[in-house]
């Protein structure tokens, strides 16, 4: 698949408080899904998880992912299929704190786990604006 970008018209689905579902592939080949908070850095979709999570283990074994976001108010949706190109530590929980401020209006409450950030390079982008 060739690279893709997310059109500006649907960026609010990644940069506001919409919750996404991320699909990964388990070691046995079965799909796994999880709800996540997402962000967009201008080139990649970002989300995070606790270090050692099932998502992280799945993505280290198979870096391909699908992310689906739906605006429940309008019915607009966005699907990004791509590959995790970077896994980096969430130093001082700065990334999850920034997202928690956006989604909940306060710093992330769970402070006793290390977290990591996953950067997904879009390879296929599908969407519907309603």
């Amino acid at each position: 698949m060739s690279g893709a970008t997310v059109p500006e018209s649907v960026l609010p689905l990644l940069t506001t408080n919409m919750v996404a579902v991320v699909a990964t592939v388990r070691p046995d080949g079965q799909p796994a899904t999880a709800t996540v908070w997402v962000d967009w850095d201008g080139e990649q979709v970002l989300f995070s998880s606790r270090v050692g999570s099932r998502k992280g283990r799945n993505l280290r074994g198979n870096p391909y992912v699908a992310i689906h976001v739906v605006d429940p108010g309008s019915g607009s949706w966005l699907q990004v299929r791509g590959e995790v190109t970077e896994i980096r530590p969430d130093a001082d929980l700065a990334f999850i704190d920034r997202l928690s401020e956006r989604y909940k209006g306060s710093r992330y409450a769970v402070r006793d786990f290390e977290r990591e950030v996953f950067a997904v390079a879009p390879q296929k982008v599908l969407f519907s604006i309603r």
Side-chain angles (χ1 to χ4, degrees):
M1 284 195 233
S2 62
T5 191
V6 176
E8 196 167 317
S9 60
V10 292
L11 282 180
L13 293 171
L14 296 174
T15 59
T16 61
N17 63 348
M18 300 296 157
V19 175
V21 175
V22 62
T24 62
V25 180
R26 294 175 52 94
D28 64 3
Q30 295 295 311
T33 61
T35 55
V36 295
W37 294 341
V38 292
D39 200 10
W40 175 251
D41 70 1
E43 295 181 9
Q44 299 184 101
V45 179
L46 307 173
F47 65 92
S48 77
S49 189
R50 180 181 50 81
V51 169
S53 70
R54 167 53 64 193
K55 283 188 293 297
R57 292 192 313 268
N58 290 350
L59 290 167
R60 282 176 172 82
N62 182 334
Y64 294 100
V65 63
I67 300 166
H68 196 88
V69 186
V70 177
D71 178 345
S74 70
S76 296
W77 59 267
L78 167 69
Q79 182 186 98
V80 176
R81 287 185 246 159
E83 181 176 0
V84 171
T85 58
E86 181 184 8
I87 302 172
R88 62 180 179 256
D90 186 358
D92 298 322
L93 303 181
F95 178 79
I96 195 65
D97 278 343
R98 185 166 46 83
L99 290 185
S100 188
E101 287 287 343
R102 181 195 316 159
Y103 281 85
K104 297 180 73 174
S106 61
R107 196 170 91 147
Y108 194 66
V110 181
R111 312 295 299 174
D112 55 348
F113 291 105
E114 291 182 46
R115 296 187 65 86
E116 52 194 0
V117 178
F118 300 89
V120 178
Q123 295 177 333
K124 180 79 172 177
V125 175
L126 304 166
F127 63 93
S128 175
I129 300 173
R130 299 182 182 174

